[in-house]
Amino acid sequence: MLSIENITVEFGGFTLLDKISFVLNKNERVALTGKNGAGKSTLLKIMAGIQSATKGNVSTPKDITIGYLPQQMILDDSRTVMEEASLAFEHLQQMDEELNRLHNEMAERTDYESDAYHKIIEKATDLQELLQISDIHNFEAKVEKTLMGLGFSRSDFNRPTKEFSGGWRMRIELAKILLQSPEVLLLDEPTNHLDIESIQWLENFLLNEANAVMLVSHDRAFLDAVTNRTIEIVLGDVHDYKVNYSKYVELRKERREQQIRSFENQQKQIKETEDFIERFRYKPTKSNQVQSRIKQLDKIERIEVDEIDSSRLNLKFPPAPRSGSYPVVMEDLYKNYGDHMVIKDVNLTIERGEKIAFVGKNGEGKSTLVKCIMSQIDFGGKLELGHNVSIGYFAQNQAQMLDDNLSVFETIDDVAIGDIRTKVRDILGAFMFGGEASDKKVKVLSGGERSRLAMIRLLLEPVNLLILDEPTNHLDLASKDVLKKAILEFDGTAIIVSHDRDFLDGLVNKVYEFGGGRVLEHIGGIYDYLSKKKLDSLQQLELSKSPTKPATEPVLGTKVESKVNSNLSTNKLSYQEQKELNSKIRKVERQIEQDEVKIEVYENEISTMEVYLASPEGASDMNYLQKYLDIKNKLDKVMNKWERSTLELEKLQEGL
């Protein structure tokens, strides 16, 4: 669908991309990987037609549509969330307006037999058929479904976009792109501002509804779930593997090891041949053999070993001063903004040396609780920091808070004090800012480079409590692995706010889940938590609006049971009433499961039929079109029934 032909990108004598070529085919989902600054975002911009290459070109079929999601964007703040997302169907709305205009023109004209009148009829008929296939009158339902999949609630739909943070605005833009159903999707770090549930919804969308996809992401689990091909940019060149990311890592290692073995064997053979030539070069009796060896040497096709980027982030936190046994203790902590209660009745104790994760949907209070610990906001209840606790804090917007006009060296030199000032260049070198890179202005750095620079500031003083709020956003996969290793080796306590499952896996042994104002403790790693919450089942996502709330308030550290299985004796309802209510809940849950099966069947049928309708034969087959519209109608009815059932289930669960 897209052909990249000898693309070269040069900046002031530096070659970023050097004559790279590949083809992005239909139904391929490609991970574009490489270290920060390797040229991934630049390549996506060139493919999207936003930036020009120094040499080479991108070939695309006529009328192909491309959807591009950049890392940073600017949205018009004059619209509501629903209005902004609905712009995805602006072309259909314009077609609908044109159809109404044609109908009005036909009603006013009287030259029924003229060629002009018949042309109007033909145009109106074509528009009518296109609009029927596009299902314009159901676009609002599609917009709602997509926005809710990306974490918005219905109460957000009529709020102006200016009320939302940059991360939520990115979700609006992502919704617009997905709703347009382009033939090619180019996504630059789409998971950076998504929570775990929204990431899994996006995984499902890309697997089942997208055509050709190329994406940059530093979420290894997301890449493994979605992609079936990996293209790596290394030192201006590309290496293409027809496998997902984890398999690519294995193959890359095996390929390089094989190349090294072959290279060493060939070098040994070459040296033996050269030694023979040198030894007998001037002996007449060996002249024929020498000449034969010289020709043999010239014919050897030299084996080359793939170049690797040897620059490597070397991260190690300073030794942590010893703190008290319990660095953080909270009792009945709560925080509200006006009438809105963000978190309430938070009771938790963090022990020295623990590595814990804060997870949950955006806006559920994770960063708010961090700000309470940092004493950046007022709150109610009790929060105590242990003896000798010193905090190192990395905020979500830390990288954006850097001064664009300073150089890399000036950024660190300005905050370094004492003897550390003599080691600034050594520290920068360890973070891949050695040599001329330390003189770069902050404004020219990539997102990952800015994050690394912000991380350096965290290392200037020894601390014993690390609080990292989305530390992996914009870090490449290699840098994330090094950061993960450094946190594991850190001998202090760490609180990590993250949606990155692969990063948290093996790093934390306790998960605190935020939602519905509550903070619930789950003992175990991130995948233990996901398994407990059944979040690996995509069908559960629409129902997973907030953490499961037991009938009684849980004591943190105890096993959290579901509503249906919680201790019924403490509920206000009688035993018989609870029994009847539980029976109704199970009945509605069964109905939802049945409807979801039907929805999947109808959606698969529709996808198959749309392929045929897109062909010349299908476009003229009116009987087939009618069957297609009938199935679409059935799908709409089941979807409406499913939505009513999910609302009914929520109301029933609130009664427990």
Side-chain angles (χ1 to χ4, degrees):
M1 300 185 78
L2 279 179
S3 179
I4 312 304
E5 301 168 359
N6 293 315
I7 291 292
T8 297
V9 177
E10 297 172 340
F11 295 112
F14 171 72
T15 301
L16 181 66
L17 301 174
D18 188 13
K19 297 179 182 178
I20 65 170
S21 299
F22 62 87
V23 176
L24 175 62
N25 299 304
K26 188 175 182 180
N27 296 325
E28 282 189 326
R29 298 181 298 279
V30 182
L32 184 62
T33 187
K35 68 182 279 292
N36 286 124
K40 302 186 296 294
S41 296
T42 299
L43 180 57
L44 288 185
K45 289 175 184 175
I46 292 170
M47 293 171 69
I50 294 172
Q51 184 172 326
S52 298
T54 308
K55 299 175 186 174
N57 59 77
V58 178
S59 298
T60 60
K62 187 179 179 182
D63 298 328
I64 195 171
T65 55
I66 298 175
Y68 169 62
L69 179 76
Q71 285 189 37
Q72 298 175 343
M73 65 203 69
I74 300 174
L75 287 179
D76 188 334
D77 285 335
S78 63
R79 303 184 184 94
T80 65
V81 171
M82 175 62 81
E83 289 169 346
E84 186 70 32
S86 296
L87 290 178
F89 297 96
E90 188 175 24
H91 64 294
L92 294 180
Q93 294 168 345
Q94 291 172 352
M95 287 167 59
D96 196 33
E97 291 171 3
E98 174 66 7
L99 180 61
N100 290 331
R101 188 191 67 76
L102 291 173
H103 284 161
N104 291 333
E105 186 175 347
M106 284 190 291
E108 292 171 359
R109 296 179 66 140
T110 57
D111 54 335
Y112 307 121
E113 302 300 327
S114 68
D115 290 341
Y117 193 87
H118 283 288
K119 286 182 179 178
I120 294 173
I121 293 175
E122 288 177 8
K123 189 174 181 180
T125 302
D126 290 342
L127 282 174
Q128 182 74 46
E129 290 178 0
L130 283 171
L131 288 171
Q132 281 184 324
I133 293 173
S134 302
D135 200 13
I136 184 175
H137 300 298
N138 195 39
F139 81 88
E140 288 186 350
K142 293 181 181 178
V143 175
E144 285 190 10
K145 182 180 178 182
T146 303
L147 287 173
M148 292 180 73
L150 290 173
F152 290 92
S153 62
R154 282 194 170 86
S155 60
D156 294 326
F157 291 171
N158 292 320
R159 291 173 58 192
T161 58
K162 63 184 178 183
E163 293 183 6
F164 292 86
S165 66
W168 283 96
R169 293 185 188 193
M170 188 280 291
R171 295 189 191 208
I172 298 170
E173 189 67 17
L174 178 58
K176 283 165 58 179
I177 293 169
L178 299 181
L179 286 164
Q180 289 167 356
S181 300
E183 283 90 353
V184 177
L185 272 173
L186 305 174
L187 307 177
D188 197 349
E189 299 193 17
T191 63
N192 267 0
H193 300 285
L194 300 182
D195 50 56
I196 288 175
E197 293 186 25
S198 298
I199 289 173
Q200 291 182 316
W201 180 90
L202 180 59
E203 284 177 4
N204 188 46
F205 183 95
L206 294 177
L207 285 170
N208 297 303
E209 300 188 43
N211 294 315
V213 180
M214 177 170 278
L215 58 89
V216 175
S217 176
H218 300 147
D219 186 327
R220 193 191 310 264
F222 177 72
L223 290 178
D224 281 342
V226 172
T227 62
N228 52 20
R229 180 181 172 192
T230 303
I231 293 179
E232 179 189 27
I233 301 179
V234 183
L235 301 173
D237 197 8
V238 292
H239 300 295
D240 198 342
Y241 298 80
K242 309 293 185 184
V243 292
N244 68 11
Y245 183 82
S246 289
K247 187 65 177 174
Y248 137 77
V249 172
E250 295 175 15
L251 292 177
R252 180 183 59 177
K253 182 180 178 182
E254 291 173 4
R255 171 179 169 173
R256 183 167 172 76
E257 288 175 350
Q258 179 61 42
Q259 284 180 333
I260 290 172
R261 285 194 296 270
S262 299
F263 176 80
E264 289 173 347
N265 290 334
Q266 189 182 67
Q267 290 300 305
K268 181 180 178 182
Q269 179 188 349
I270 290 171
K271 188 173 188 311
E272 289 174 352
T273 304
E274 288 175 340
D275 288 346
F276 180 90
I277 294 170
E278 188 62 32
R279 191 180 314 123
F280 300 110
R281 181 184 296 274
Y282 303 107
K283 289 194 175 184
T285 57
K286 297 284 187 179
S287 61
N288 289 338
Q289 291 171 284
V290 168
Q291 289 301 316
S292 175
R293 295 292 176 94
I294 290 173
K295 291 177 182 178
Q296 181 184 5
L297 200 60
D298 290 339
K299 290 179 181 179
I300 291 178
E301 187 173 336
R302 304 295 173 117
I303 295 172
E304 294 183 358
V305 179
D306 288 342
E307 285 190 279
I308 60 170
D309 195 328
S310 59
S311 57
R312 180 75 172 173
L313 176 63
N314 180 22
L315 172 58
K316 187 174 180 63
F317 290 103
R322 188 173 178 82
S323 71
S325 298
Y326 302 102
V328 182
V329 177
M330 300 179 196
E331 294 180 13
D332 300 325
L333 185 143
Y334 64 90
K335 173 62 183 176
N336 58 283
Y337 293 101
D339 296 331
H340 176 56
M341 181 68 71
V342 182
I343 47 177
K344 61 183 177 181
D345 302 329
V346 179
N347 292 277
L348 65 84
T349 299
I350 300 175
E351 296 184 23
R352 182 179 61 233
E354 278 191 322
K355 311 291 192 295
I356 67 169
F358 285 178
V359 304
K361 288 189 174 183
N362 291 344
E364 293 288 0
K366 303 186 297 295
S367 295
T368 297
L369 189 56
V370 166
K371 290 176 182 176
C372 292
I373 297 173
M374 296 296 300
S375 299
Q376 293 180 351
I377 56 175
D378 297 328
F379 56 86
K382 183 179 178 182
L383 188 156
E384 290 184 351
L385 297 181
H387 171 69
N388 198 36
V389 168
S390 55
I391 300 176
Y393 178 42
F394 183 90
Q396 281 192 49
N397 61 343
Q398 203 85 26
Q400 281 69 45
M401 293 168 64
L402 300 176
D403 189 336
D404 284 349
N405 296 315
L406 294 180
S407 69
V408 169
F409 179 84
E410 290 168 342
T411 299
I412 301 305
D413 190 54
D414 280 0
V415 295
I417 57 174
D419 294 341
I420 199 72
R421 294 196 67 183
T422 63
K423 301 178 181 179
V424 168
R425 292 205 179 271
D426 292 337
I427 295 172
L428 289 173
F431 275 78
M432 296 184 284
F433 288 118
E436 294 179 0
S438 64
D439 297 322
K440 281 184 178 179
K441 292 290 185 183
V442 170
K443 61 185 176 185
V444 304
L445 300 180
S446 68
E449 289 171 326
R450 293 174 73 106
S451 289
R452 289 207 308 271
L453 188 58
M455 191 69 72
I456 295 175
R457 295 164 67 98
L458 187 61
L459 300 178
L460 295 180
E461 293 183 18
V463 299
N464 49 35
L465 174 58
L466 281 174
I467 302 179
L468 308 177
D469 196 350
E470 301 290 3
T472 63
N473 280 2
H474 304 295
L475 284 185
D476 59 44
L477 288 156
S479 298
K480 278 170 50 177
D481 288 342
V482 176
L483 176 59
K484 182 175 179 176
K485 182 174 181 289
I487 297 172
L488 281 168
E489 294 175 351
F490 176 60
D491 53 0
T493 309
I495 299 172
I496 302 143
V497 182
S498 180
H499 59 262
D500 191 325
R501 295 156 293 175
D502 182 72
F503 181 73
L504 294 175
D505 184 30
L507 178 58
V508 301
N509 51 20
K510 191 181 291 183
V511 176
Y512 287 96
E513 180 193 13
F514 288 65
R518 305 285 183 175
V519 181
L520 304 182
E521 180 184 77
H522 297 265
I523 304 297
I526 186 65
Y527 282 103
D528 294 326
Y529 157 72
L530 289 174
S531 177
K532 238 182 266 184
K533 299 299 295 179
K534 296 182 180 178
L535 290 181
D536 53 337
S537 172
L538 292 169
Q539 287 84 355
Q540 299 289 324
L541 290 179
E542 290 294 337
L543 306 179
S544 184
K545 301 303 180 187
S546 63
T548 305
K549 300 173 192 168
T552 58
E553 185 72 304
V555 177
L556 288 178
T558 62
K559 185 177 180 182
V560 179
E561 302 289 350
S562 68
K563 285 183 176 180
V564 176
N565 297 323
S566 59
N567 185 359
L568 299 176
S569 62
T570 58
N571 200 290
K572 294 180 181 179
L573 298 177
S574 68
Y575 176 83
Q576 186 60 34
E577 288 172 331
Q578 292 177 55
K579 185 177 179 181
E580 292 174 358
L581 184 55
N582 286 330
S583 177
K584 289 179 181 178
I585 288 175
R586 284 191 287 270
K587 183 178 179 181
V588 174
E589 286 176 338
R590 284 195 296 271
Q591 182 62 56
I592 288 173
E593 290 175 0
Q594 292 170 5
D595 288 341
E596 287 174 343
V597 171
K598 290 180 182 178
I599 289 169
E600 185 176 0
V601 170
Y602 287 144
E603 286 180 337
N604 288 337
E605 285 186 30
I606 288 169
S607 296
T608 302
M609 296 178 82
E610 284 176 343
V611 173
Y612 176 71
L613 286 171
S615 67
E617 298 84 3
S620 59
D621 191 342
M622 300 309 295
N623 290 331
Y624 198 87
L625 174 61
Q626 187 57 52
K627 290 180 183 178
Y628 171 84
L629 295 175
D630 290 341
I631 293 177
K632 291 275 284 185
N633 187 45
K634 289 179 182 178
L635 175 61
D636 291 342
K637 288 180 179 178
V638 177
M639 284 293 294
N640 290 333
K641 184 181 175 185
W642 178 85
E643 288 182 357
R644 289 195 299 271
S645 297
T646 54
L647 290 172
E648 182 183 358
L649 180 63
E650 289 179 3
K651 290 179 181 178
L652 289 171
Q653 288 177 331
E654 288 173 1
L656 281 173

